[in-house]
Amino acid sequence: VGTMKRDYEQTASGAVANEADSHQHRVLTYADGVRLEVHVQGSQMVGLPTQFDKDYLFGLLRLAAEGRVRPDGSFIDPSYRDILRATGRPEGAGKLRFDAVKRALSRFAGLVLTTNADIDYTAAAAAVRDGSAAPLLPEGRPKRRTLEAKHWVLEYDVESQERADGQHRDIIRHLRLNPLWLAHVDAGVATWLDVDVHNRLASEWAKRIYQVLAIRVVRGWRAQMPHVVSLDDFLVELGVDTGRERGKLAENVRSALATLAAAGVVAEGNVTRVGHGRYEVTIFPGERLLLAGLLRGAPPDAPTATHMLLSHMRAYGISVEQGRRYLAERPGYVREVLAFAHYLQSERRGYHGAKRIDNWNAWVYRALESGAYEFEDSGFTAGVDAQASRVLADGATINATPGSANDGVDASPAPSSGLARRATSVAAPRRSRRATPPASPPPPVETPRLATAVPALALPDDLWGRALAAVQDQVRPAALFGTYLASAQLERVDGDVVVVRAIDDFHAEKLVRTWGAELCTRLSAELGRPMTLVAGRFRCEGRTPAGPDASAGRGREPGLEAG
């Protein structure tokens, strides 16, 4: 819903001049035979909401998440200043800001959504007749059914006052959000996006693409895989109905993806010409979409710690339903298992005792399911303290140097749900239950309990170790170096290919996607020929170094592939 325009041409009477700016019509056809016709009718005076008007709708949803709404959807003591604050706009920005809020509320208040769902039962009936399916409905039901429904978004009443001193003041007397949307969120059907990041985007195309990608995650997009779609299909997905030249539309999408990459929404986005007037869009998800995928199905009104624990378990393949059961039965134990798993990966390089753990999903599931796992490692407590010190130290670094190349990557970007619920931290784990001497190499990294900086890591004296040492100072936050780069080990050099072993596919993809270009440059410079870096299923093609100093090779990684 909403147009890609910033403003509308008006007639002499003040109405919207172009009919397309006041209504939209789309037909969606699904694989199961359902045909959904959607008609969106806006006010003829103010038109349809724009992508910028949605900033204020998300602000309302954030106020609802803060408890400022009654069960029937009506807001408690609403004001324009509160809406501006929740939207991320300065409260004292003057008349233009207030007018933007009023215009957005008027457009959403005048919006009516009419849906006609045409459900075809012919295929299902044929399956029953040929015996491949059992009847689910009594005999005599129609072979086709059409369901029509109308929905409103919000109600908005404003009172304008003229005071004795000549000043004018507008007061919101009634503001009510359709409780249907609140009911969806209460049921766990929520789209997780970062309201502050969305509202700071200056491009209407970037806003719309962020919305669509977040919705795709809710619908089950495996965010670890790239989204590959033709430009024409992507424009349909965006709801863009335009006859403009495809090359110009491709440039709009390409520019928006670059903006989203800078905001951490996508890791990389490409628009490639594949024929005359034909383009293909490839989108690799960024940290915020990956986190949205991990929070898929999580109840938006759950506490922040619950959100983060559920997302961590989801990363190990534990469903939200299973995760909620584990947290209900033994929350402290869940925190301890997850902390121990992270400790083994970050401090022990994936070893538990003398055995290297290859399948972390299975390991975490067995530990959570047993409910009585013994954490036998004398370095666990010190490792937890070291991790906490690193977070504190890197947090100070992030606050001191905003805008650095990797700013905020390891700080778990704060998501917001359909009700803009914030989730920013994980509860601290308890201490281990039993301590016995470890039987495995490598030895733990000893870190003072109150350390304020990340200790130096011992790097191997080989080709890989020298490449890591060359890029170590460029990695920010510093804790990322130990988690993703130093945890990888050199397996072999096979001709022009350097193969390293990462902890798992997630670590391999992060290593190659974020630092692959720089590492390829360093490896190529030392060996004197273009080298390809391979970690797990991911690879990065190198280039012939221009000279002994290969630092100029930093930037977007060339030739990144998942093989």
Side-chain angles (χ1 to χ4, degrees):
V1 178
T3 71
M4 304 293 284
K5 296 184 178 181
R6 293 173 178 259
D7 207 350
Y8 301 129
E9 181 183 351
Q10 293 181 321
T11 64
S13 62
V16 174
N18 299 318
E19 185 180 0
D21 294 335
S22 62
H23 76 88
Q24 290 179 336
H25 179 266
R26 293 184 64 188
V27 177
L28 306 175
T29 303
Y30 299 93
D32 59 0
V34 175
R35 180 178 179 273
L36 183 64
E37 186 176 357
V38 183
H39 186 83
V40 182
Q41 181 63 57
S43 166
Q44 192 65 38
M45 295 302 297
V46 293
L48 291 169
T50 69
Q51 299 303 321
F52 295 93
D53 292 333
K54 291 184 181 179
D55 295 358
Y56 302 100
L57 179 63
F58 291 148
L60 293 180
L61 296 174
R62 174 173 282 174
L63 289 176
E66 295 173 355
R68 295 285 300 276
V69 66
R70 301 181 180 90
D72 68 346
S74 59
F75 285 86
I76 302 172
D77 297 328
S79 71
Y80 296 115
R81 292 188 183 277
D82 283 342
I83 297 173
L84 284 170
R85 174 190 60 78
T87 306
R89 303 289 193 269
E91 301 173 28
K95 184 177 183 298
L96 290 179
R97 292 291 188 191
F98 283 89
D99 287 345
V101 179
K102 297 172 186 176
R103 187 164 53 247
L105 294 180
S106 296
R107 285 171 174 162
F108 279 110
L111 198 64
V112 177
L113 290 81
T114 304
T115 59
N116 282 278
D118 189 9
I119 306 173
D120 189 352
Y121 294 100
T122 303
V128 172
R129 283 195 300 269
D130 64 22
S132 61
L136 301 179
L137 297 172
E139 295 295 332
R141 300 300 288 259
K143 67 176 185 178
R144 182 180 294 274
R145 172 180 294 176
T146 301
L147 304 176
E148 179 176 333
K150 290 183 181 293
H151 306 281
W152 52 276
V153 178
L154 60 82
E155 298 173 343
Y156 168 59
D157 295 336
V158 59
E159 176 183 321
S160 296
Q161 298 179 350
E162 183 178 352
R163 299 185 176 183
D165 57 1
Q167 296 293 321
H168 291 265
R169 183 185 181 189
D170 290 340
I171 301 175
I172 301 176
R173 288 303 182 191
H174 174 68
L175 184 60
R176 182 186 177 212
L177 192 67
N178 190 336
L180 174 67
W181 318 130
L182 302 180
H184 276 77
V185 172
D186 291 341
V189 183
T191 299
W192 294 83
L193 56 80
D194 191 308
V195 172
D196 293 325
V197 169
H198 174 278
N199 291 0
R200 283 198 301 265
L201 295 172
S203 162
E204 60 271 30
W205 283 83
K207 288 179 184 290
R208 181 57 181 159
I209 292 175
Y210 187 8
Q211 296 161 18
V212 166
L213 294 179
I215 291 173
R216 285 192 64 85
V217 171
V218 172
R219 291 176 175 171
W221 174 29
R222 298 276 302 183
Q224 290 79 7
M225 303 298 293
H227 178 38
V228 183
V229 64
S230 70
L231 176 63
D232 287 348
D233 289 343
F234 194 50
L235 293 175
V236 171
E237 196 172 3
L238 297 176
V240 177
D241 184 14
T242 176
R244 290 176 57 195
E245 180 186 342
R246 285 295 178 265
K248 295 180 179 180
L249 292 172
E251 185 56 38
N252 285 339
V253 174
R254 187 180 292 112
S255 176
L257 291 176
T259 299
L260 292 174
V265 176
V266 305
E268 181 182 349
N270 299 315
V271 182
T272 308
R273 184 176 179 179
V274 295
H276 181 67
R278 295 187 298 112
Y279 295 83
E280 184 177 80
V281 181
T282 303
I283 301 173
F284 290 88
E287 281 83 359
R288 288 182 169 83
L289 288 179
L290 290 171
L291 184 58
L294 295 177
L295 288 170
R296 178 173 175 257
D301 56 349
T304 295
T306 299
H307 279 156
M308 298 311 294
L309 290 172
L310 288 173
S311 68
H312 281 285
M313 284 188 281
R314 183 79 178 238
Y316 289 111
I318 307 297
S319 69
V320 171
E321 292 74 18
Q322 285 177 305
R324 294 177 72 175
R325 175 167 62 85
Y326 293 143
L327 288 175
E329 294 173 354
R330 39 186 181 272
Y333 176 76
V334 171
R335 290 195 297 268
E336 199 162 12
V337 167
L338 295 174
F340 191 60
H342 181 67
Y343 161 75
L344 292 179
Q345 294 176 63
S346 61
E347 304 292 333
R348 290 289 189 175
R349 299 191 178 184
Y351 282 90
H352 185 212
K355 180 181 179 182
R356 181 181 178 89
I357 300 173
D358 295 321
N359 189 335
W360 283 100
N361 286 18
W363 186 93
V364 170
Y365 173 77
R366 287 195 297 266
L368 291 173
E369 193 66 23
S370 72
Y373 191 85
E374 297 293 341
F375 306 97
E376 301 175 354
D377 194 307
S378 62
F380 178 39
T381 300
V384 171
D385 291 340
Q387 292 167 11
S389 298
R390 292 176 185 179
V391 169
L392 293 174
D394 289 329
T397 302
I398 292 172
N399 291 332
T401 58
S404 60
N406 294 316
D407 183 26
V409 171
D410 197 49
S412 294
S416 301
S417 70
L419 283 186
R421 182 92 181 173
R422 302 292 292 180
T424 55
S425 63
V426 183
R430 296 182 297 144
R431 299 193 178 273
S432 58
R433 299 179 181 179
R434 191 176 73 184
T436 59
S440 67
V445 178
E446 296 296 333
T447 307
R449 182 180 180 86
L450 298 178
T452 57
V454 179
L457 297 174
L459 299 176
D461 186 16
D462 57 15
L463 173 68
W464 179 243
R466 290 189 291 274
L468 293 182
V471 304
Q472 183 172 7
D473 291 341
Q474 304 171 16
V475 180
R476 292 291 182 272
L480 291 180
F481 181 80
T483 301
Y484 292 100
L485 282 80
S487 63
Q489 298 176 341
L490 178 66
E491 273 196 358
R492 66 183 185 276
V493 178
D494 188 0
D496 293 335
V497 178
V498 177
V499 181
V500 299
R501 182 176 61 192
I503 292 176
D504 52 27
D505 277 353
F506 177 81
H507 287 71
E509 182 179 12
K510 178 70 175 178
L511 186 154
V512 174
R513 187 174 306 287
T514 306
W515 302 284
E518 180 69 9
L519 290 168
C520 273
T521 302
R522 299 291 180 175
L523 295 169
S524 301
E526 178 158 343
L527 295 178
R529 62 185 187 276
M531 300 299 296
T532 297
L533 174 65
V534 174
R537 301 185 299 110
F538 303 91
R539 61 192 296 121
C540 179
E541 303 291 343
R543 295 176 292 191
T544 303
D549 182 5
S551 61
R554 298 174 58 191
R556 176 177 295 181
E557 65 274 20
L560 178 65
E561 301 175 3

